[in-house]
Amino acid sequence: GLADVNQADELRKLCEQRGFQLIEKPNGHFQINGKLLVNYYPFSKDKTAYIAQTKNGFKHVSPEVAVQMAFEPPPLLTKPKRKKNYFIEKDKLYKKSQCCHWCKAQLTRKEVTLDHVVPLSRGGLEHPNNYVIACLACNNRRGNEMPELEL
């Protein structure tokens, strides 16, 4: 209806102001591509939004909040449980690139650590799409922060 059209227009305007790309998918699904990718369903009953690579959706999200989510790290959660054997994942990533994802330093196999792009403590997924290899210094410096999102 008309409210949906107005909300979509508002979303377009907010994304344009921030310089974010708005991708309109079928069935009232929007992707806001800012510093983070946000999947947003403004016309659904619960008006949900979630940051890609995370498992925590947010309900009753306004267009302003959805756009803001594409700009800042997800909130901290309780300490997550690690589930996987990381050696296999590290090995796969190391075969593709022998450089730290963050500082681009050349790494030996011994120096490689597996880092989560969206930290587990911020709702990041235990999934290969959320893994990168990093040097120990970059991995430790990031901790559960996402400094690459800062201006």
Side-chain angles (χ1 to χ4, degrees), residues 100-124:
C100 173
H101 178 80
W102 307 112
C103 73
K104 309 300 181 216
Q106 279 291 132
L107 300 172
T108 66
R109 203 173 279 279
K110 237 181 186 171
E111 294 170 318
V112 173
T113 68
L114 194 66
D115 198 8
H116 293 85
V117 177
V118 178
L120 296 178
S121 61
R122 291 189 180 273

PDB file of all heavy atoms in Angstrom, residues 100-124:
ATOM      1  N   CYS A 100      47.797 -11.741   5.507  1.00  0.00           N
ATOM      2  CA  CYS A 100      46.814 -11.315   6.505  1.00  0.00           C
ATOM      3  C   CYS A 100      45.717 -10.525   5.789  1.00  0.00           C
ATOM      4  O   CYS A 100      46.005  -9.630   4.993  1.00  0.00           O
ATOM      5  CB  CYS A 100      47.494 -10.440   7.567  1.00  0.00           C
ATOM      6  SG  CYS A 100      46.332  -9.683   8.730  1.00  0.00           S
ATOM      7  N   HIS A 101      44.473 -10.860   6.067  1.00  0.00           N
ATOM      8  CA  HIS A 101      43.329 -10.178   5.455  1.00  0.00           C
ATOM      9  C   HIS A 101      43.332  -8.683   5.766  1.00  0.00           C
ATOM     10  O   HIS A 101      42.909  -7.867   4.961  1.00  0.00           O
ATOM     11  CB  HIS A 101      42.024 -10.813   5.962  1.00  0.00           C
ATOM     12  CG  HIS A 101      40.793 -10.163   5.434  1.00  0.00           C
ATOM     13  ND1 HIS A 101      40.311 -10.434   4.173  1.00  0.00           N
ATOM     14  CD2 HIS A 101      39.956  -9.254   5.984  1.00  0.00           C
ATOM     15  CE1 HIS A 101      39.220  -9.714   3.975  1.00  0.00           C
ATOM     16  NE2 HIS A 101      38.982  -8.988   5.056  1.00  0.00           N
ATOM     17  N   TRP A 102      43.814  -8.312   6.962  1.00  0.00           N
ATOM     18  CA  TRP A 102      43.721  -6.921   7.434  1.00  0.00           C
ATOM     19  C   TRP A 102      44.931  -6.081   7.042  1.00  0.00           C
ATOM     20  O   TRP A 102      44.768  -5.002   6.491  1.00  0.00           O
ATOM     21  CB  TRP A 102      43.506  -6.896   8.950  1.00  0.00           C
ATOM     22  CG  TRP A 102      42.349  -7.746   9.359  1.00  0.00           C
ATOM     23  CD1 TRP A 102      42.385  -8.910  10.068  1.00  0.00           C
ATOM     24  CD2 TRP A 102      40.962  -7.532   9.053  1.00  0.00           C
ATOM     25  NE1 TRP A 102      41.121  -9.433  10.215  1.00  0.00           N
ATOM     26  CE2 TRP A 102      40.224  -8.607   9.605  1.00  0.00           C
ATOM     27  CE3 TRP A 102      40.274  -6.548   8.367  1.00  0.00           C
ATOM     28  CZ2 TRP A 102      38.844  -8.710   9.508  1.00  0.00           C
ATOM     29  CZ3 TRP A 102      38.889  -6.654   8.265  1.00  0.00           C
ATOM     30  CH2 TRP A 102      38.197  -7.721   8.826  1.00  0.00           C
ATOM     31  N   CYS A 103      46.145  -6.544   7.326  1.00  0.00           N
ATOM     32  CA  CYS A 103      47.333  -5.703   7.066  1.00  0.00           C
ATOM     33  C   CYS A 103      48.099  -6.136   5.821  1.00  0.00           C
ATOM     34  O   CYS A 103      49.056  -5.478   5.428  1.00  0.00           O
ATOM     35  CB  CYS A 103      48.259  -5.682   8.290  1.00  0.00           C
ATOM     36  SG  CYS A 103      49.168  -7.226   8.551  1.00  0.00           S
ATOM     37  N   LYS A 104      47.696  -7.242   5.205  1.00  0.00           N
ATOM     38  CA  LYS A 104      48.290  -7.770   3.963  1.00  0.00           C
ATOM     39  C   LYS A 104      49.716  -8.309   4.124  1.00  0.00           C
ATOM     40  O   LYS A 104      50.391  -8.566   3.142  1.00  0.00           O
ATOM     41  CB  LYS A 104      48.257  -6.732   2.824  1.00  0.00           C
ATOM     42  CG  LYS A 104      46.906  -6.100   2.571  1.00  0.00           C
ATOM     43  CD  LYS A 104      45.847  -7.107   2.206  1.00  0.00           C
ATOM     44  CE  LYS A 104      44.504  -6.438   1.945  1.00  0.00           C
ATOM     45  NZ  LYS A 104      43.379  -7.223   2.387  1.00  0.00           N
ATOM     46  N   ALA A 105      50.187  -8.484   5.370  1.00  0.00           N
ATOM     47  CA  ALA A 105      51.529  -9.032   5.605  1.00  0.00           C
ATOM     48  C   ALA A 105      51.590 -10.487   5.137  1.00  0.00           C
ATOM     49  O   ALA A 105      50.621 -11.231   5.298  1.00  0.00           O
ATOM     50  CB  ALA A 105      51.874  -8.948   7.090  1.00  0.00           C
ATOM     51  N   GLN A 106      52.715 -10.879   4.554  1.00  0.00           N
ATOM     52  CA  GLN A 106      52.938 -12.280   4.167  1.00  0.00           C
ATOM     53  C   GLN A 106      53.007 -13.110   5.446  1.00  0.00           C
ATOM     54  O   GLN A 106      53.637 -12.697   6.421  1.00  0.00           O
ATOM     55  CB  GLN A 106      54.266 -12.412   3.415  1.00  0.00           C
ATOM     56  CG  GLN A 106      54.214 -12.045   1.958  1.00  0.00           C
ATOM     57  CD  GLN A 106      53.422 -13.039   1.132  1.00  0.00           C
ATOM     58  OE1 GLN A 106      52.584 -12.628   0.365  1.00  0.00           O
ATOM     59  NE2 GLN A 106      53.659 -14.318   1.272  1.00  0.00           N
ATOM     60  N   LEU A 107      52.372 -14.268   5.432  1.00  0.00           N
ATOM     61  CA  LEU A 107      52.339 -15.130   6.615  1.00  0.00           C
ATOM     62  C   LEU A 107      52.920 -16.492   6.298  1.00  0.00           C
ATOM     63  O   LEU A 107      52.732 -17.007   5.195  1.00  0.00           O
ATOM     64  CB  LEU A 107      50.894 -15.311   7.100  1.00  0.00           C
ATOM     65  CG  LEU A 107      50.130 -14.054   7.517  1.00  0.00           C
ATOM     66  CD1 LEU A 107      48.679 -14.380   7.778  1.00  0.00           C
ATOM     67  CD2 LEU A 107      50.770 -13.434   8.749  1.00  0.00           C
ATOM     68  N   THR A 108      53.595 -17.080   7.280  1.00  0.00           N
ATOM     69  CA  THR A 108      53.975 -18.485   7.161  1.00  0.00           C
ATOM     70  C   THR A 108      52.799 -19.288   7.702  1.00  0.00           C
ATOM     71  O   THR A 108      51.944 -18.748   8.423  1.00  0.00           O
ATOM     72  CB  THR A 108      55.236 -18.796   7.998  1.00  0.00           C
ATOM     73  OG1 THR A 108      54.914 -18.635   9.373  1.00  0.00           O
ATOM     74  CG2 THR A 108      56.407 -17.898   7.615  1.00  0.00           C
ATOM     75  N   ARG A 109      52.770 -20.561   7.377  1.00  0.00           N
ATOM     76  CA  ARG A 109      51.676 -21.420   7.852  1.00  0.00           C
ATOM     77  C   ARG A 109      51.557 -21.375   9.380  1.00  0.00           C
ATOM     78  O   ARG A 109      50.463 -21.417   9.923  1.00  0.00           O
ATOM     79  CB  ARG A 109      51.910 -22.849   7.362  1.00  0.00           C
ATOM     80  CG  ARG A 109      50.660 -23.681   7.294  1.00  0.00           C
ATOM     81  CD  ARG A 109      50.909 -25.016   6.646  1.00  0.00           C
ATOM     82  NE  ARG A 109      50.935 -24.988   5.189  1.00  0.00           N
ATOM     83  CZ  ARG A 109      49.845 -24.991   4.416  1.00  0.00           C
ATOM     84  NH1 ARG A 109      48.666 -24.982   4.950  1.00  0.00           N
ATOM     85  NH2 ARG A 109      49.963 -24.997   3.113  1.00  0.00           N
ATOM     86  N   LYS A 110      52.695 -21.267  10.061  1.00  0.00           N
ATOM     87  CA  LYS A 110      52.721 -21.226  11.528  1.00  0.00           C
ATOM     88  C   LYS A 110      52.110 -19.945  12.097  1.00  0.00           C
ATOM     89  O   LYS A 110      51.559 -19.945  13.190  1.00  0.00           O
ATOM     90  CB  LYS A 110      54.173 -21.318  12.002  1.00  0.00           C
ATOM     91  CG  LYS A 110      54.448 -22.456  12.926  1.00  0.00           C
ATOM     92  CD  LYS A 110      55.909 -22.420  13.346  1.00  0.00           C
ATOM     93  CE  LYS A 110      56.220 -23.650  14.169  1.00  0.00           C
ATOM     94  NZ  LYS A 110      57.639 -23.784  14.423  1.00  0.00           N
ATOM     95  N   GLU A 111      52.228 -18.838  11.345  1.00  0.00           N
ATOM     96  CA  GLU A 111      51.768 -17.529  11.829  1.00  0.00           C
ATOM     97  C   GLU A 111      50.267 -17.289  11.642  1.00  0.00           C
ATOM     98  O   GLU A 111      49.719 -16.352  12.198  1.00  0.00           O
ATOM     99  CB  GLU A 111      52.515 -16.408  11.091  1.00  0.00           C
ATOM    100  CG  GLU A 111      53.988 -16.339  11.374  1.00  0.00           C
ATOM    101  CD  GLU A 111      54.706 -15.382  10.441  1.00  0.00           C
ATOM    102  OE1 GLU A 111      54.415 -15.374   9.220  1.00  0.00           O
ATOM    103  OE2 GLU A 111      55.570 -14.646  10.946  1.00  0.00           O
ATOM    104  N   VAL A 112      49.620 -18.110  10.835  1.00  0.00           N
ATOM    105  CA  VAL A 112      48.220 -17.889  10.465  1.00  0.00           C
ATOM    106  C   VAL A 112      47.278 -18.101  11.657  1.00  0.00           C
ATOM    107  O   VAL A 112      47.379 -19.097  12.362  1.00  0.00           O
ATOM    108  CB  VAL A 112      47.811 -18.839   9.313  1.00  0.00           C
ATOM    109  CG1 VAL A 112      46.333 -18.772   9.022  1.00  0.00           C
ATOM    110  CG2 VAL A 112      48.609 -18.522   8.073  1.00  0.00           C
ATOM    111  N   THR A 113      46.365 -17.154  11.846  1.00  0.00           N
ATOM    112  CA  THR A 113      45.253 -17.362  12.783  1.00  0.00           C
ATOM    113  C   THR A 113      43.961 -17.227  11.986  1.00  0.00           C
ATOM    114  O   THR A 113      43.933 -16.560  10.948  1.00  0.00           O
ATOM    115  CB  THR A 113      45.244 -16.329  13.936  1.00  0.00           C
ATOM    116  OG1 THR A 113      44.934 -15.041  13.407  1.00  0.00           O
ATOM    117  CG2 THR A 113      46.564 -16.308  14.690  1.00  0.00           C
ATOM    118  N   LEU A 114      42.906 -17.842  12.472  1.00  0.00           N
ATOM    119  CA  LEU A 114      41.593 -17.727  11.835  1.00  0.00           C
ATOM    120  C   LEU A 114      40.832 -16.638  12.574  1.00  0.00           C
ATOM    121  O   LEU A 114      40.719 -16.676  13.798  1.00  0.00           O
ATOM    122  CB  LEU A 114      40.854 -19.059  11.925  1.00  0.00           C
ATOM    123  CG  LEU A 114      39.635 -19.199  11.035  1.00  0.00           C
ATOM    124  CD1 LEU A 114      40.039 -19.203   9.564  1.00  0.00           C
ATOM    125  CD2 LEU A 114      38.900 -20.479  11.349  1.00  0.00           C
ATOM    126  N   ASP A 115      40.347 -15.660  11.843  1.00  0.00           N
ATOM    127  CA  ASP A 115      39.622 -14.540  12.439  1.00  0.00           C
ATOM    128  C   ASP A 115      38.193 -14.547  11.896  1.00  0.00           C
ATOM    129  O   ASP A 115      37.959 -14.932  10.753  1.00  0.00           O
ATOM    130  CB  ASP A 115      40.332 -13.228  12.067  1.00  0.00           C
ATOM    131  CG  ASP A 115      39.943 -12.060  12.952  1.00  0.00           C
ATOM    132  OD1 ASP A 115      39.241 -12.264  13.963  1.00  0.00           O
ATOM    133  OD2 ASP A 115      40.345 -10.926  12.623  1.00  0.00           O
ATOM    134  N   HIS A 116      37.259 -14.115  12.721  1.00  0.00           N
ATOM    135  CA  HIS A 116      35.869 -13.965  12.295  1.00  0.00           C
ATOM    136  C   HIS A 116      35.664 -12.509  11.886  1.00  0.00           C
ATOM    137  O   HIS A 116      35.954 -11.609  12.671  1.00  0.00           O
ATOM    138  CB  HIS A 116      34.915 -14.316  13.438  1.00  0.00           C
ATOM    139  CG  HIS A 116      34.961 -15.755  13.819  1.00  0.00           C
ATOM    140  ND1 HIS A 116      35.889 -16.261  14.713  1.00  0.00           N
ATOM    141  CD2 HIS A 116      34.197 -16.802  13.423  1.00  0.00           C
ATOM    142  CE1 HIS A 116      35.690 -17.557  14.844  1.00  0.00           C
ATOM    143  NE2 HIS A 116      34.676 -17.917  14.074  1.00  0.00           N
ATOM    144  N   VAL A 117      35.186 -12.266  10.672  1.00  0.00           N
ATOM    145  CA  VAL A 117      34.946 -10.903  10.203  1.00  0.00           C
ATOM    146  C   VAL A 117      33.951 -10.223  11.145  1.00  0.00           C
ATOM    147  O   VAL A 117      34.198  -9.135  11.643  1.00  0.00           O
ATOM    148  CB  VAL A 117      34.427 -10.887   8.742  1.00  0.00           C
ATOM    149  CG1 VAL A 117      34.126  -9.467   8.300  1.00  0.00           C
ATOM    150  CG2 VAL A 117      35.458 -11.523   7.818  1.00  0.00           C
ATOM    151  N   VAL A 118      32.813 -10.867  11.375  1.00  0.00           N
ATOM    152  CA  VAL A 118      31.883 -10.409  12.410  1.00  0.00           C
ATOM    153  C   VAL A 118      32.136 -11.319  13.602  1.00  0.00           C
ATOM    154  O   VAL A 118      31.871 -12.522  13.540  1.00  0.00           O
ATOM    155  CB  VAL A 118      30.406 -10.498  11.963  1.00  0.00           C
ATOM    156  CG1 VAL A 118      29.477 -10.057  13.091  1.00  0.00           C
ATOM    157  CG2 VAL A 118      30.169  -9.653  10.710  1.00  0.00           C
ATOM    158  N   PRO A 119      32.722 -10.778  14.690  1.00  0.00           N
ATOM    159  CA  PRO A 119      33.072 -11.619  15.837  1.00  0.00           C
ATOM    160  C   PRO A 119      31.881 -12.417  16.372  1.00  0.00           C
ATOM    161  O   PRO A 119      30.743 -11.944  16.333  1.00  0.00           O
ATOM    162  CB  PRO A 119      33.559 -10.601  16.881  1.00  0.00           C
ATOM    163  CG  PRO A 119      34.026  -9.429  16.076  1.00  0.00           C
ATOM    164  CD  PRO A 119      33.082  -9.366  14.898  1.00  0.00           C
ATOM    165  N   LEU A 120      32.182 -13.626  16.865  1.00  0.00           N
ATOM    166  CA  LEU A 120      31.130 -14.476  17.424  1.00  0.00           C
ATOM    167  C   LEU A 120      30.377 -13.744  18.526  1.00  0.00           C
ATOM    168  O   LEU A 120      29.160 -13.879  18.658  1.00  0.00           O
ATOM    169  CB  LEU A 120      31.735 -15.775  17.979  1.00  0.00           C
ATOM    170  CG  LEU A 120      32.396 -16.706  16.970  1.00  0.00           C
ATOM    171  CD1 LEU A 120      32.982 -17.919  17.679  1.00  0.00           C
ATOM    172  CD2 LEU A 120      31.439 -17.123  15.884  1.00  0.00           C
ATOM    173  N   SER A 121      31.091 -12.946  19.324  1.00  0.00           N
ATOM    174  CA  SER A 121      30.457 -12.244  20.445  1.00  0.00           C
ATOM    175  C   SER A 121      29.540 -11.114  19.988  1.00  0.00           C
ATOM    176  O   SER A 121      28.853 -10.507  20.792  1.00  0.00           O
ATOM    177  CB  SER A 121      31.521 -11.694  21.396  1.00  0.00           C
ATOM    178  OG  SER A 121      32.348 -10.779  20.709  1.00  0.00           O
ATOM    179  N   ARG A 122      29.538 -10.852  18.680  1.00  0.00           N
ATOM    180  CA  ARG A 122      28.601  -9.862  18.132  1.00  0.00           C
ATOM    181  C   ARG A 122      27.544 -10.554  17.261  1.00  0.00           C
ATOM    182  O   ARG A 122      26.905  -9.924  16.423  1.00  0.00           O
ATOM    183  CB  ARG A 122      29.352  -8.807  17.322  1.00  0.00           C
ATOM    184  CG  ARG A 122      30.218  -7.922  18.206  1.00  0.00           C
ATOM    185  CD  ARG A 122      30.780  -6.754  17.447  1.00  0.00           C
ATOM    186  NE  ARG A 122      31.595  -5.923  18.298  1.00  0.00           N
ATOM    187  CZ  ARG A 122      31.118  -4.922  19.061  1.00  0.00           C
ATOM    188  NH1 ARG A 122      29.842  -4.662  19.074  1.00  0.00           N
ATOM    189  NH2 ARG A 122      31.936  -4.214  19.799  1.00  0.00           N
ATOM    190  N   GLY A 123      27.420 -11.869  17.439  1.00  0.00           N
ATOM    191  CA  GLY A 123      26.416 -12.618  16.690  1.00  0.00           C
ATOM    192  C   GLY A 123      26.931 -13.181  15.382  1.00  0.00           C
ATOM    193  O   GLY A 123      26.170 -13.722  14.601  1.00  0.00           O
ATOM    194  N   GLY A 124      28.241 -13.055  15.128  1.00  0.00           N
ATOM    195  CA  GLY A 124      28.817 -13.576  13.891  1.00  0.00           C
ATOM    196  C   GLY A 124      28.639 -15.081  13.783  1.00  0.00           C
ATOM    197  O   GLY A 124      28.615 -15.784  14.790  1.00  0.00           O
TER     198      GLY A 124
END
